[in-house]
Amino acid sequence: MESNLRFNWHRYPTLAEYEKHFSQLEHTTSSKLDWLTELRTKDMNFTRVELDVLYGSIVTWQNPDDKSDRRSICYYVSPTELITIGLSDHTVSLVKPYQATTPFEAFYSILALQMNTYFNGIDAFETELFLRQDELRGSIDENSLDSIFGLRDTIENWSDLIVPFRELVLAGPEAFIRHTTYSDAFAFRLAEKRVERLLMLIEHYQKDIEVLLDLSTTVSNFRGNEIMKALTIFTAVATPMMALGAIWGMNFKNMPELDWKYGYASSLFLIFLTTGGIFYWMKRRGWLGALVRMPNKKSSVKK
């Protein structure tokens, strides 16, 4: 498919269509041959930079649950020619208002347009993150870690999408270093600003998720320690009862306590006395404080 712009823009809906066209060419360049070879073997992001040539493939969408399910755009950019594979006609129509005069400008217009669609997804993630923060604040339970890991997987998926765009923003001036005016093009500067803003948001939300993960881990460890503390205290307090009960539960014939008139009352008194004594001693030493008590409401700050 040919474009009516001021430069050659060849668009192909699929790799098979481009391969068919490529097989009919009498002359081609080594970079185009290398590009096609890599497209046949790689279903992922890759960027190759040569002098006055930039080519590769960039993933524009991937399923967070199955990262093999993805969509991508393949590109070949030179000072006189732009080749794209997998680009929709709708995106091409959106590029026209940018009035690109070079393949470089048209390509970075495509990148800027693609990145602009990501902000809605990032905003939706932000809303989900804030809701999750409100739910987790003061009510962290055994399902909290799964929820936080889900958020982390989502933001990592966004990071995987955006970082290749950042690489292309850096690779463009490298490939066309002899064309000093390219970096001043409106489309390039717009793509550069958008990728910086997206990466800033992703980095911020990654830090928020790490804070949630640290909080959840800390609370889980605290609860585990408190549970172990409760079991230890119960064992210590119940030790006299179990020890004395074990002694008087023996079946030896010569046990004078069994014939005592007040033996039963004395044994109960001894059990309660030793149990209460151990409990009092542990309380005096402050070992019973904050036993498995967690805040379940937001703490209010008094002004």
Side-chain angles (χ1 to χ4, degrees):
M1 299 176 65
E2 299 291 337
S3 173
N4 294 323
L5 298 175
R6 304 178 191 177
F7 53 87
N8 293 323
W9 185 353
H10 310 284
R11 305 192 304 273
Y12 302 91
T14 63
L15 179 59
E17 295 252 352
Y18 177 69
E19 288 180 313
K20 181 179 179 181
H21 168 78
F22 190 84
S23 64
Q24 297 173 353
L25 296 176
E26 295 182 2
H27 304 286
T28 187
T29 62
S30 60
S31 58
K32 287 183 180 178
L33 181 59
D34 292 340
W35 180 49
L36 180 58
T37 301
E38 293 209 53
L39 290 179
R40 288 168 173 168
T41 58
K42 293 185 177 180
D43 182 24
M44 56 182 293
N45 293 301
F46 73 93
T47 301
R48 299 293 178 264
V49 175
E50 298 179 9
L51 189 60
D52 291 336
V53 176
L54 176 67
Y55 61 88
S57 174
I58 185 167
V59 174
T60 57
W61 177 87
Q62 64 182 7
N63 187 341
D65 300 324
D66 180 11
K67 293 190 176 182
S68 63
D69 179 16
R70 58 168 68 101
R71 291 194 297 267
S72 62
I73 297 174
C74 309
Y75 56 88
Y76 181 95
V77 189
S78 72
T80 59
E81 183 182 29
L82 173 62
I83 303 174
T84 55
I85 303 173
L87 192 65
S88 66
D89 291 337
H90 175 67
T91 303
V92 175
S93 67
L94 295 177
V95 171
K96 291 183 179 179
Y98 286 82
Q99 298 180 345
T101 59
T102 64
F104 182 89
E105 291 181 61
F107 176 63
Y108 282 93
S109 298
I110 295 170
L111 296 186
L113 287 168
Q114 183 62 49
M115 283 186 285
N116 194 45
T117 64
Y118 293 155
F119 287 104
N120 289 335
I122 294 291
D123 289 342
F125 173 81
E126 178 186 50
T127 301
E128 182 182 358
L129 175 62
F130 289 166
L131 289 174
R132 189 64 58 198
Q133 285 176 328
D134 289 338
E135 292 175 3
L136 295 179
R137 192 174 290 120
S139 59
I140 295 177
D141 55 26
E142 62 276 6
N143 298 319
S144 299
L145 279 177
D146 290 339
S147 176
I148 296 172
F149 284 139
L151 291 172
R152 190 171 70 172
D153 288 344
T154 301
I155 201 63
E156 288 300 326
N157 185 64
W158 280 113
S159 180
D160 291 342
L161 284 176
I162 304 303
V163 168
F165 284 85
R166 176 60 176 163
E167 182 184 6
L168 282 174
V169 167
L170 297 174
E174 178 186 349
F176 301 97
I177 193 170
R178 294 192 297 190
H179 304 264
T180 56
T181 59
Y182 278 15
S183 297
D184 296 327
F186 168 75
F188 177 79
R189 291 186 286 112
L190 182 61
E192 186 177 35
K193 293 299 181 183
R194 284 180 176 173
V195 75
E196 288 177 359
R197 185 154 65 102
L198 285 168
L199 288 176
M200 179 274 295
L201 291 171
I202 289 173
E203 182 180 0
H204 174 74
Y205 297 142
Q206 284 174 331
K207 290 180 180 178
D208 282 352
I209 292 172
E210 290 303 319
V211 170
L212 285 177
L213 186 58
D214 290 343
L215 176 62
S216 179
T217 302
T218 300
V219 171
S220 297
N221 292 337
F222 178 76
R223 281 180 167 159
N225 292 337
E226 287 294 290
I227 291 172
M228 291 303 299
K229 180 179 178 181
L231 294 176
T232 302
I233 291 172
F234 176 79
T235 302
V237 170
T239 295
M241 182 187 307
M242 292 185 294
L244 294 174
I247 292 174
W248 288 319
M250 297 178 182
N251 295 320
F252 293 113
K253 293 183 178 180
N254 296 323
M255 293 186 69
E257 299 92 333
L258 298 178
D259 297 327
W260 290 357
K261 182 177 180 180
Y262 300 104
Y264 179 71
S266 299
S267 64
L268 289 179
F269 174 76
L270 182 60
I271 288 173
F272 288 135
L273 178 64
T274 52
T275 301
I278 291 176
F279 185 84
Y280 177 75
W281 176 73
M282 297 180 72
K283 186 176 181 180
R284 283 289 301 272
R285 296 188 60 90
W287 293 355
L288 303 181
L291 186 60
V292 198
R293 291 201 303 268
M294 295 297 299
N296 53 13
K297 294 182 180 180
K298 299 179 182 178
S299 58
S300 57
V301 180
K302 297 182 180 179
K303 299 183 178 178

